Amino acid sequence: MDCVLKTFGLTKKYKKQLAVNEADMTINRGDIYGFVGENGSGKTTIIRLITGLIFASSGSLELFGVRNNSEKIKEARRKVGAVVESPSIYQNMSAYENLKMQCMILGIPADERIKETLNEVGLGELYDDKKQVGNFSLGMRQRLGIAMALMGEPEFLILDEPMNGLDPAGIVEIRELILKLNREKNITFLISSHILSELSLVATKYGIISKGHIIKEITAGDLQEEMRKTTDITADNPERLFEVVSGFTDKKVSYIPNGVRIAGEINLNEILGAVIKNDVHIISVNCKESSFEDYYLETIGGRR
């Protein structure tokens, strides 16, 4: 699979503070990578390392197969667009003027590219509008920030908390824009966010980070599999319980304290009947379906 980004033990230390701790992550072409972690977990620091705004204390990364210590890394970074923390926009200029400034920085022709990009992000009506950006809504500024990042026609777009502070309508607009750019332009995304419910509507893969360390990467499909309905049974003889249940169902069965966990839909009455027939005394039965929030908290050890 074509790899857009790969990190190898990426570490960033500020004096005695370890902001990023041996982070390993892989983003393949076409992914919408949801980057999830608590405030201060290291998400923005990793984004700054990827974009070259800061340098790693140790470890390395590859962008489009180019190592960060290669002379070609600058060329690889030209394929990357980013909105880090908040869009870098001149508040006293119009949308057109901001984008024209970006074209000058990138050394690309302005007018046609600006019109095309404003249409892509749903702001086509602003092409001839002299209204200053400072008078835009937050959602419009976010979309303009994405337009700025799109001017260089990136293959990989990094968005740091793009839905932060938006109202429900603004969140929907940004979500639909991300999906549109991914499907129509084949742009790969890295999106950091703490709005897990919204991220779950766009992400195809997740990276969960805590205290600077990426503790898990999982595809959206595998996440749904792990979040599906589970049944926990505890008994006086967990080992025998495991043997009976494993022999009775083709579902995944795993140990939990004093019992077993069965993943997926099951015929509970038949399984309990088989357990009782084998002289195993049942203590408790608990059926549940996990949410993304539950899964995230359990993964980072948020439940104590």
Side-chain angles (χ1 to χ4, degrees):
M1 193 172 288
D2 194 0
C3 188
V4 169
L5 171 71
K6 193 169 184 64
T7 70
F8 307 87
L10 201 61
T11 300
K12 181 62 178 178
K13 194 172 184 180
Y14 294 101
K15 295 183 179 178
K16 293 183 179 180
Q17 181 185 357
L18 198 58
V20 176
N21 183 17
E22 296 187 354
D24 295 320
M25 64 193 300
T26 302
I27 301 178
N28 294 312
R29 190 175 294 277
D31 281 345
I32 300 178
Y33 188 100
F35 202 21
V36 183
E38 68 274 19
N39 289 337
S41 61
K43 301 189 299 294
T44 300
T45 303
I46 287 183
I47 288 172
R48 288 173 176 271
L49 289 167
I50 294 168
T51 53
L53 294 174
I54 58 175
F55 298 100
S57 303
S58 61
S60 62
L61 63 85
E62 283 184 1
L63 268 175
F64 300 97
V66 179
R67 283 273 179 164
N68 60 293
N69 58 358
S70 168
E71 292 181 359
K72 295 182 179 180
I73 192 62
K74 289 183 179 180
E75 184 178 333
R77 284 200 169 106
R78 289 183 180 273
K79 301 178 183 179
V80 181
V83 181
V84 183
E85 294 186 307
S86 60
S88 299
I89 298 171
Y90 293 102
Q91 302 291 316
N92 61 342
M93 293 168 58
S94 67
Y96 176 86
E97 289 168 337
N98 270 281
L99 293 175
K100 187 170 184 179
M101 181 73 72
Q102 185 74 350
C103 287
M104 291 171 63
I105 293 170
L106 296 173
I108 59 177
D111 287 358
E112 284 304 315
R113 183 69 191 130
I114 291 174
K115 183 178 287 188
E116 177 187 345
T117 306
L118 283 172
N119 285 329
E120 281 178 356
V121 301
L123 296 176
E125 74 279 4
L126 295 179
Y127 181 74
D128 294 318
D129 197 325
K130 303 302 181 184
K131 183 179 179 181
Q132 292 184 349
V133 171
N135 297 318
F136 287 8
S137 68
L138 180 57
M140 289 174 68
R141 288 200 298 271
Q142 289 285 50
R143 283 190 283 162
L144 180 58
I146 294 173
M148 299 275 284
L150 288 171
M151 292 306 292
E153 300 186 80
E155 298 175 31
F156 181 32
L157 192 54
I158 300 172
L159 304 178
D160 189 14
E161 300 283 1
M163 301 167 189
N164 194 23
L166 297 181
D167 60 22
I171 289 173
V172 171
E173 288 173 354
I174 295 298
R175 180 211 310 159
E176 291 178 347
L177 175 58
I178 290 166
L179 290 171
K180 175 186 173 184
L181 292 172
N182 178 255
R183 292 167 181 165
E184 296 181 6
K185 297 284 187 177
N186 197 29
I187 294 175
T188 302
F189 281 87
L190 166 60
I191 305 170
S192 78
S193 180
H194 62 274
I195 307 176
L196 304 186
S197 58
E198 276 303 320
L199 204 54
S200 66
L201 296 176
V202 296
T204 61
K205 185 177 181 180
Y206 299 90
I208 298 176
I209 184 171
S210 182
K211 298 178 181 177
H213 187 66
I214 296 176
I215 53 180
K216 186 153 193 175
E217 287 190 312
I218 187 169
T219 66
D222 288 343
L223 176 64
Q224 288 299 319
E225 185 75 12
E226 292 198 21
M227 280 177 14
R228 66 183 182 169
K229 183 176 180 180
T230 59
T231 303
D232 292 350
I233 304 174
T234 61
D236 60 348
N237 188 339
E239 289 77 16
R240 180 61 181 149
L241 175 66
F242 183 88
E243 290 177 8
V244 174
V245 173
S246 297
F248 195 82
T249 180
D250 59 354
K251 303 296 184 181
K252 180 182 177 182
V253 181
S254 56
Y255 277 109
I256 61 171
N258 302 316
V260 299
R261 173 168 294 163
I262 311 165
E265 295 287 342
I266 59 170
N267 188 321
L268 184 59
N269 289 333
E270 289 185 2
I271 288 179
L272 294 181
V275 171
I276 292 168
K277 283 181 182 178
N278 281 272
D279 298 321
V280 179
H281 177 65
I282 296 171
I283 298 173
S284 69
V285 178
N286 181 28
C287 301
K288 64 176 182 178
E289 290 189 31
S290 297
S291 67
F292 187 16
E293 287 83 356
D294 293 330
Y295 181 87
Y296 166 72
L297 289 172
E298 289 174 4
T299 301
I300 68 169
R303 288 181 174 172
R304 293 177 173 85

